[in-house]
Amino acid sequence: EGRPVPAPAVRRAVRPDGRRAGQQGVRARDAGDRTAGVHARAHAEPGVRDPRRSAEHDGGADEDVPDKEDKSPIQISYVPERDNYCEVVRKLLNHIQQGDVYEINYCHEVRATATELDPIAVYKKLAAISPNPFSCYYRAGHRHLLCASPERFMVKRGKVLITQPMKGTAARGNSVQEDRVQLSSLLNSEKERAENIMIVDLARNDLSKVAESGSVRVEELCGVYSFTRSHQMISTVSCKPENQITFTKILKAFFPMGS
């Protein structure tokens, strides 16, 4: 714990309170009295802990859930399909050319269907292939959520609220030299920095809705951190929330999430 991923020129994020977040494990029951399980880990800012170790700790599962090897073929489809996707992109480009907006982050859905699927086995494979500090398996009845994310959305520590938007990605290189080139390219990419700064502005605006006047701060802008399979550009924004404000109101102020 505490070793950054070995990579060149890795910058360490600001740690406002100087502490590391600990492991969280929750067991609960939903309204229908069906067992709901949560397995999650939240760690300190990027670069503090080696994320390659997360699969070792986060790949666990409820003992009452069968752990079997999944053999079912999975069919992948894209929503929207290519033609519709390209048409939407053309419309978005027109909006930019008309001056309606200056930058757009357009996401699309990928659907996977299978006649038989074991969520635990899939999650363990996911965590092994792409170990990340915010990996999570969540089950509520027949619904399952599988996550392998390197990104912290939000954390409140004492009187400080922190969000760490992540925009800008580069694959790890196959050699030390190639890895350095990939990292340097990400760090100096005008496109990736523009996307990151756009989301930082959005995060600052969202924080201002719940923050004490003058307390919103950009702790770090466009820091680059290395994970097992990728380099990521991450910024850190913080504030002091208004007194007596509830965490529910804070979450509502941040939705829909920009990153």
Side-chain angles (χ1 to χ4, degrees):
E1 300 262 333
R3 292 186 298 106
V5 177
V10 174
R11 301 171 61 191
R12 291 172 174 75
V14 174
R15 301 177 59 193
D17 62 357
R19 295 185 294 111
R20 301 177 188 174
Q23 180 176 351
Q24 300 178 3
V26 181
R27 293 285 300 176
R29 290 190 177 273
D30 62 10
D33 199 36
R34 296 169 299 179
T35 299
V38 179
H39 293 275
R41 287 181 68 89
H43 303 295
E45 281 72 18
V48 173
R49 179 180 182 274
D50 189 339
R52 292 176 299 181
R53 298 182 57 193
S54 59
E56 171 187 342
H57 300 281
D58 302 336
D62 293 355
E63 293 181 357
D64 58 340
V65 178
D67 181 13
K68 60 183 179 181
E69 183 72 13
D70 182 71
K71 300 293 185 181
S72 176
I74 299 177
Q75 302 297 323
I76 302 294
S77 61
Y78 294 89
V79 182
E81 294 182 349
R82 179 179 175 82
D83 290 345
N84 291 335
Y85 176 85
C86 292
E87 178 60 26
V88 172
V89 170
R90 282 191 288 269
K91 291 180 179 180
L92 295 178
L93 288 173
N94 183 64
H95 279 294
I96 293 175
Q97 291 167 355
Q98 295 298 321
D100 300 327
V101 294
Y102 69 90
E103 190 168 298
I104 298 171
N105 182 30
Y106 176 45
C107 302
H108 67 88
E109 179 182 354
V110 178
R111 291 181 181 176
T113 58
T115 55
E116 183 179 352
L117 191 87
D118 177 43
I120 293 295
V122 174
Y123 172 72
K124 286 186 173 181
K125 290 179 182 178
L126 177 64
I129 293 171
S130 184
N132 278 295
F134 298 101
S135 295
C136 174
Y137 166 75
Y138 177 85
R139 188 189 71 195
H142 66 282
R143 291 183 170 86
H144 304 260
L145 176 65
L146 286 62
C147 170
S149 175
E151 181 174 13
R152 168 181 281 122
F153 168 45
M154 182 191 300
V155 63
K156 186 174 183 291
R157 294 180 180 159
K159 296 183 178 180
V160 179
L161 187 65
I162 303 167
T163 184
Q164 292 184 299
M166 176 185 293
K167 288 292 179 186
T169 303
R172 296 298 301 261
N174 294 320
S175 65
V176 173
Q177 182 177 2
E178 184 181 346
D179 203 48
R180 288 179 181 273
V181 171
Q182 291 287 86
L183 190 148
S184 178
S185 177
L186 174 59
L187 186 62
N188 295 290
S189 169
E190 291 186 12
K191 169 189 174 296
E192 303 293 6
R193 291 181 67 88
E195 286 191 15
N196 193 286
I197 292 171
M198 175 182 68
I199 301 302
V200 168
D201 285 342
L202 183 62
R204 290 171 61 240
N205 180 71
D206 290 343
L207 282 178
S208 69
K209 300 174 184 177
V210 299
E212 292 182 358
S213 179
S215 69
V216 177
R217 296 181 57 193
V218 178
E219 305 283 357
E220 181 182 38
L221 186 64
C222 298
V224 173
Y225 296 89
S226 299
F227 295 83
T228 305
R229 300 179 67 85
S230 66
H231 301 294
Q232 300 285 351
M233 184 176 286
I234 306 172
S235 294
T236 300
V237 189
S238 69
C239 77
K240 292 183 179 180
E242 294 176 343
N243 289 332
Q244 308 303 320
I245 193 167
T246 65
F247 200 64
T248 299
K249 289 183 178 180
I250 292 173
L251 289 176
K252 285 183 177 179
F254 266 75
F255 272 77
M257 294 175 286
S259 176

